[in-house]
Amino acid sequence: MKNIPLILMGCGGVGRQLLQHIVSCRSLHFTQGLCLRVVGVGDSKSLVVTEDLLHEGLNDGFLLELCRVKSVGESLLKLLDFGKCQAFVHPESQGKILEIAFQLGKKTGLVFVDCSASSDTVAVLKQAIGMGCCAVMANKKPLTSTMEDFKKLFIYPRRIRHESTVGAGLPVIASLNRIISSGDPVHQIIGSLSGTLGYVMSEVEDGKPLSQVVRDAKSLGYTEPDPRDDLGGMDVARKALILARILGHQINLDSIQIESLYPKEMGPGVMTVEDFLNRGLLLLDKDIQDRVEKAASNGNVLRYVCVIMGSRCEVGIQELPKNSPLGRLRGSDNVLEIYTRCYSKQPLVIQGAGAGNDTTAAGVLADIVDIQDLFP
């Protein structure tokens, strides 16, 4: 039985779903000769760790109770009364993680799983990888930090998995790495990498006002609590940057041209969320509708996409043929078209659910299982 210890950082929707997946897949993994042993779970404030790092993980009942506690917004420290564990509060918790990484990294191996949405994990990730640990990420921020940080994270590339940073559970990174390894040059990537913006653009195509569509998307749970976090395009830009860096382009976020769907005068520092939803969005309806009608007159549709061509990387609204894979996109799916020498006339198309806690957590779990060959 191959035993893989792991520490999870991030107890939000994706992190909790991952723990539930690990518990529910115990019998499947047993038949595969694999045991995922969760030795620690942390959030921005604290960390809980098993008492016996070398031999035991936090048991499944404890992990499910942890999911319940965090789902109602309570502290991990509440779990001290539930089972055998040690607890550490920030910043002591960060030192404890590195202590565990040093203890297990070269002895049994350790996977550091980052399902947070924080930039603070970059320093820990770099040090843990240097100690012989592996890293699996759903968090985009470490890979979109400085080029120096990016290079240090990939100093041992086989120890890194990050499929869920771009397309949740879709095989975007794996497919791109296979193409690069084959020597097939990538000429262009164009993709709709935001389920929220994919939904918004396909709905306004049907003639619905942008203001109504955004409010509907929020009520359906497609957007962040403040929809401007989606409409500003930064999430798509981070995903595009990761893809561009995989292709070898040494660029930073400020190198990417980003089109926001709202002006600075409607930004979070100027308008409240309520004002934006009830008043600001109405002022944007006409411009988007005019653009939709102009595209339609050309036989095209509008999609919010990232475009990577050579060293050029931009994010924003593009007119695309209605019968193209991106033009046929409906709802919240992600679609990516990859053009290479081999895929020149007909691009490689990757399409499917590119968002959601369940899908993203499944992608993270697949990455953890995929890394098992590095463990004794």
Side-chain angles (χ1 to χ4, degrees):
M1 182 70 66
K2 184 164 287 189
N3 195 300
I4 300 181
L6 65 91
I7 287 181
L8 169 66
M9 288 305 299
C11 302
V14 174
R16 296 196 302 272
Q17 191 68 57
L18 173 62
L19 293 176
Q20 291 170 20
H21 279 332
I22 289 173
V23 171
S24 66
C25 288
R26 289 295 187 200
S27 59
L28 170 65
H29 291 158
F30 181 81
T31 63
Q32 298 171 343
L34 180 65
C35 176
L36 302 183
R37 187 162 60 89
V38 182
V39 299
V41 179
D43 58 18
S44 60
K45 296 180 180 177
S46 51
L47 170 76
V48 289
V49 178
T50 181
E51 290 183 339
D52 186 353
L53 287 166
L54 287 175
H55 304 102
E56 293 184 5
L58 300 168
N59 68 53
D60 289 351
F62 183 96
L63 295 178
L64 294 177
E65 177 64 11
L66 184 152
C67 291
R68 187 198 66 78
V69 165
K70 290 304 298 181
S71 69
V72 295
E74 295 182 335
S75 169
L76 288 175
L77 300 179
K78 188 169 184 179
L79 294 159
L80 285 171
D81 299 329
F82 187 81
K84 294 181 179 180
C85 70
Q86 305 173 65
F88 305 87
V89 297
H90 187 78
E92 183 188 8
S93 57
Q94 186 167 327
K96 184 61 181 179
I97 289 172
L98 292 174
E99 180 186 321
I100 295 170
F102 180 77
Q103 183 177 351
L104 298 184
K106 298 193 187 310
K107 185 174 291 186
T108 65
L110 176 72
V111 180
F112 189 98
V113 183
D114 186 357
C115 289
S116 73
S118 171
S119 301
D120 296 339
T121 58
V122 178
V124 174
L125 281 166
K126 289 189 296 185
Q127 292 180 74
I129 289 169
M131 294 174 184
C133 300
C134 298
V136 172
M137 285 175 274
N139 182 10
K140 292 178 281 293
K141 290 182 179 176
L143 298 180
T144 56
S145 181
T146 65
M147 272 306 303
E148 180 184 3
D149 284 339
F150 184 85
K151 288 177 179 178
K152 284 183 178 177
L153 287 172
F154 276 88
I155 193 168
Y156 301 107
R158 293 186 64 235
R159 296 183 192 167
I160 296 281
R161 298 291 187 280
H162 59 101
E163 191 69 75
S164 295
T165 58
V166 173
L170 293 176
V172 173
I173 305 298
S175 300
L176 195 55
N177 281 333
R178 284 176 64 86
I179 289 170
I180 293 168
S181 297
S182 74
D184 187 11
V186 176
H187 302 311
Q188 181 181 15
I189 295 176
I190 179 168
S192 176
L193 296 176
S194 164
T196 302
L197 292 172
Y199 171 84
V200 167
M201 299 314 296
S202 61
E203 290 292 296
V204 296
E205 179 189 337
D206 291 340
K208 297 177 184 176
L210 177 69
S211 54
Q212 176 192 330
V213 172
V214 172
R215 285 194 291 265
D216 289 347
K218 188 174 189 298
S219 67
L220 290 167
Y222 289 169
T223 74
E224 296 294 331
D226 185 343
R228 287 170 294 190
D229 291 343
D230 301 290
L231 300 177
M234 184 55 72
D235 181 64
V236 178
R238 289 187 186 280
K239 294 175 181 179
L241 179 59
I242 291 170
L243 294 177
R245 285 178 167 180
I246 290 173
L247 292 177
H249 303 306
Q250 299 193 33
I251 61 173
N252 294 312
L253 267 178
D254 58 11
S255 307
I256 300 176
Q257 182 180 329
I258 305 171
E259 177 184 3
S260 172
L261 295 191
Y262 65 88
K264 291 180 181 178
E265 307 86 74
M266 296 184 189
V270 183
M271 272 189 175
T272 64
V273 176
E274 291 72 22
D275 276 349
F276 178 72
L277 288 170
N278 298 326
R279 183 168 57 86
L281 275 171
L282 292 169
L283 302 175
L284 306 177
D285 284 343
K286 187 177 185 307
D287 177 62
I288 291 293
Q289 192 55 44
D290 288 346
R291 293 176 72 174
V292 168
E293 291 172 0
K294 180 176 179 292
S297 69
N298 296 328
N300 296 327
V301 293
L302 298 183
R303 293 291 180 260
Y304 194 96
V305 297
C306 73
V307 178
I308 305 168
M309 183 183 294
S311 60
R312 179 171 67 92
C313 185
E314 59 186 51
V315 168
I317 294 177
Q318 296 265 345
E319 271 194 38
L320 298 168
K322 193 169 187 177
N323 63 351
S324 67
L326 279 158
R328 293 192 295 269
L329 170 66
R330 303 297 303 173
S332 59
D333 271 7
N334 280 189
V335 179
L336 196 76
E337 300 178 16
I338 303 176
Y339 293 84
T340 72
R341 183 189 64 227
C342 296
Y343 298 99
S344 55
K345 295 181 181 178
Q346 294 293 331
L348 173 65
V349 177
I350 303 170
Q351 178 170 359
N357 294 337
D358 192 8
T359 309
T360 305
V364 173
L365 181 56
D367 272 349
I368 296 170
V369 173
D370 184 56
I371 215 165
Q372 65 177 294
D373 289 344
L374 298 181
F375 287 77

